[in-house]
Amino acid sequence: MAVGGFNNSPPTTTNRTLLHAASVAAAAADLLYVSDVTNGYCKPAGQFTDQGTEALTQQSFAALFAGIGTTTQSASDTTARPAAVLVDQIVLAFPCDSATFEQDDFVAPKYTAGVLSNQVLVKVTDPTRAIGQVVRKYTSAVTTVDVRLTSTTT
């Protein structure tokens, strides 16, 4: 499969395996962060603790960003199940607020009323807030953008 002319990892390729946090719902395609480094638990972006401002919340999230989940977890499941996660150099189309983008613009999860979006991205100028970069120029406003994800967690 290719997006924007870039080859993607096959959907069955997992870059890393973590554990979904027990009793926390997660959908396939959610942006995930490492919520417990010691035990390898992850949660969707919407579960990330507000740091008081959009900039601080996005920056703190970016430091713990694990990737995009390919597995699901029910909120009623009290067992931590394996979470397959794709990241680093994968290019995917993400929903975004209507905007134009330059190639290499930085993106972060959208922040609304103290909560990060699980799947919607916005343009940011500070690379410390970014979880990826736009892979091509969009001269007309778009609501879906091709992004190359990156993670600083290992």
Side-chain angles (χ1 to χ4, degrees):
M1 174 170 73
V3 174
F6 291 87
N7 291 325
N8 288 337
S9 299
T12 55
T13 300
T14 300
N15 296 115
R16 66 190 308 180
T17 301
L18 297 167
L19 292 171
H20 286 290
S23 302
V24 175
D30 277 354
L31 301 167
L32 302 175
Y33 71 99
V34 179
S35 61
D36 180 339
V37 176
T38 304
N39 295 305
Y41 293 126
C42 64
K43 292 180 182 178
Q47 297 290 317
F48 195 76
T49 303
D50 183 22
Q51 303 297 303
T53 68
E54 178 179 18
L56 286 174
T57 303
Q58 289 171 333
Q59 185 176 45
S60 297
F61 178 83
L64 297 172
F65 178 60
I68 184 170
T70 62
T71 51
T72 63
Q73 172 91 0
S74 170
S76 63
D77 194 343
T78 58
T79 303
R81 306 276 180 205
V85 181
L86 298 176
V87 74
D88 289 338
Q89 305 309 312
I90 188 167
V91 176
L92 295 169
F94 283 92
C96 62
D97 285 346
S98 183
T100 60
F101 292 88
E102 295 293 325
Q103 183 172 345
D104 297 327
D105 275 350
F106 296 109
V107 291
K110 182 177 180 176
Y111 176 91
T112 305
V115 179
L116 292 175
S117 171
N118 287 338
Q119 298 184 3
V120 178
L121 299 179
V122 295
K123 184 182 345 181
V124 295
T125 56
D126 180 355
T128 66
R129 294 166 56 184
I131 61 164
Q133 287 182 275
V134 176
V135 297
R136 66 185 181 95
K137 183 175 183 169
Y138 295 86
T139 55
S140 298
V142 295
T143 57
T144 302
V145 62
D146 292 344
V147 172
R148 182 181 310 273
L149 296 175
T150 56
S151 173
T152 56
T153 64
T154 57

